[in-house]
Every structure is written in C-alpha cells, then in structure tokens.
C-alpha cells in the first residue's frame, strides 16, 4: 500500500509517535522537568517525579500483548497490586544505568504486593532486549512494543503518561496512574514513588 493510500489515522499516529520518541529518546534530564501544561492538578517535586492526588487519577488504556519471552501479559490482571511500568530500550544508556536499581527493587518488593512490568520499545528484534535483561538481572516481564503503540495508546491524553525513554509510571492498587518520572531513577527515587501507594487503603 502506498503512503498516499494508507489510512490517515494510522499515518497520523505513526507520525505523532515518531516525533515524540525522536524528540525524547533516551532522555536523562538531570533537573527532572516534567512536561504537561494547563490545569492538570499534577504536582512535580524537585526530583522530577510527578504525582496525581488519589481523587484525580485516571486508569490506563489497554496495556497487553506479548512479552519478550513470548508469553501473554495484560497489566489489568495485576489490579490489587501496585504496578511499576518502566519504558526502556536496550540501546538506551540511562536505561542501563537504572536497570540494576529496578531489578533489585522488583525482587525486594514483590512480597509486599508490587509488580514490575517493562515496556520495551524501539528494539527492532528481541535478542538485544533479552541480552539486556540477562546482563542486568531483570527477572520481571517486559511487553515487547517495538513501535511504541502501547506507549502511545495505553495512556489517555492529559494523564501522567511516559514521554521519554526511560520513563517510569506507577499505578495504584486500583490500576490508576499515580506517579511518573521522565528520567533514570536510582532505587531511592523509585521507592519514593512506590512507598506512598503501598500505604494507601
């Protein structure tokens, strides 16, 4: 099919996604600025972590598909737990920097009801991503999203959506978007996004 005959919505979505990921790929903004203007009711602390108050949180769209190891995963099935969604690529230096912190936190917090799910993007085949997981001891699953469709369509407009690589979004126990970071995280900052949600009733 020629580009001139391709469905307009598909072309628009691909264009928007390409622009977004090109502009923000492998972002490591050390001052932690988070995007998003207007009256969003999001609060961003000095560490670059944005949060939404309990009554202001939105649910994600569909975040489901095949994992890097060929299994099927639907994030909606994890409702009742705090879920950490980490957008990463094997080619991304800040992703490599934060990976050991995520691997350790995932193991330490699983018994407390925290699940980690990666969103692997812009890896044209799975082999480099699988090697990345082995190198850094990442044992939690990652949805394979080479074109970034889950990232584009899985987070409603106006929410704390991932806008760079790496990005981390934390869902509360109801499956709602509660916190987001647009930069690489160490374990201390990662836990600062998770711990308040574990205390919620």
């Amino acid at each position: 099919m020629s580009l001139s005959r391709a469905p307009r919505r598909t072309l628009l979505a691909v264009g928007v996604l390409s622009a977004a990921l090109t502009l923000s790929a492998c972002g490591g903004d050390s001052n932690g600025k988070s995007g998003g203007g207007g009256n969003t009711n999001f609060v961003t602390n000095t560490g670059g972590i944005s949060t939404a108050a309990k009554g202001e949180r939105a649910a994600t769209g569909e975040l489901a598909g095949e994992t890097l190891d060929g299994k099927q995963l639907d994030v909606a099935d994890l409702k009742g737990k705090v879920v950490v969604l980490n957008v990463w690529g094997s080619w991304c230096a800040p992703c490599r920097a934060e990976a050991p912190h995520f691997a350790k936190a995932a193991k330490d917090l699983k018994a407390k009801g925290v699940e980690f799910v990666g969103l692997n993007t812009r890896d044209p085949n799975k082999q480099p991503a699988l090697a990345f997981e082995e190198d850094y001891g990442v044992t939690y699953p990652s949805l394979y999203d080479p074109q970034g469709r889950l990232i584009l369509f899985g987070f409603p407009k106006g929410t704390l959506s991932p806008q760079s690589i790496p990005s981390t979004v934390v869902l509360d126990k109801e499956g709602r978007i509660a916190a987001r970071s647009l930069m690489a995280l160490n374990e201390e900052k990662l836990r600062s996004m998770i711990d308040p949600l574990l205390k919620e009733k």
Side-chain angles (χ1 to χ4, degrees):
M1 177 184 293
S2 70
L3 284 179
S4 62
R5 297 179 61 195
R8 266 190 125 147
R9 185 164 39 170
T10 301
L11 286 176
L12 179 62
V14 169
V16 169
L17 176 64
S18 297
L21 292 180
T22 298
L23 289 172
S24 59
C26 240
D29 187 357
S30 60
N31 65 16
K33 289 181 181 174
S34 297
N39 184 19
T40 60
N41 294 320
F42 303 147
V43 176
T44 304
N45 69 19
T46 55
I49 295 168
S50 301
T51 59
K54 195 170 183 180
E56 302 290 333
R57 297 173 190 164
T60 66
E62 185 178 23
L63 292 169
E66 184 177 309
T67 62
L68 286 172
D69 60 2
K71 297 176 182 173
Q72 292 295 311
L73 173 67
D74 188 341
V75 171
D77 293 339
L78 301 175
K79 195 170 179 181
K81 299 183 177 185
V82 172
V83 178
V84 179
L85 302 169
N86 178 243
V87 178
W88 66 279
S90 67
W91 43 269
C92 166
C95 301
R96 292 193 290 272
E98 72 177 3
H101 302 292
F102 277 72
K104 182 178 183 301
K107 289 175 185 172
D108 292 349
L109 295 171
K110 189 169 183 69
K112 293 185 176 180
V114 180
E115 293 290 337
F116 281 63
V117 176
L119 298 175
N120 172 256
T121 191
R122 291 181 60 189
D123 273 313
N125 65 69
K126 292 181 178 181
Q127 290 314 116
L130 289 166
F132 177 103
E133 289 187 329
E134 185 174 348
D135 289 346
Y136 293 102
V138 175
T139 57
Y140 54 84
S142 282
L143 289 164
Y144 183 51
D145 188 26
Q147 277 84 45
R149 289 190 179 97
L150 293 176
I151 298 166
L152 182 62
F153 298 113
F155 298 87
K157 185 177 179 182
T159 64
L160 289 171
S161 59
Q163 297 172 4
S164 62
I165 304 166
S167 285
T168 301
V169 174
V170 183
L171 310 182
D172 65 17
K173 295 172 188 175
E174 299 298 318
R176 299 171 304 176
I177 302 167
R180 176 195 66 190
S181 171
L182 300 178
M183 61 187 200
L185 296 170
N186 60 25
E187 188 176 355
E188 180 184 1
K189 286 190 175 182
L190 176 59
R191 284 178 177 258
S192 77
M193 298 172 71
I194 298 168
D195 290 345
L197 300 176
L198 284 174
K199 294 173 184 173
E200 289 182 353
K201 300 297 183 187

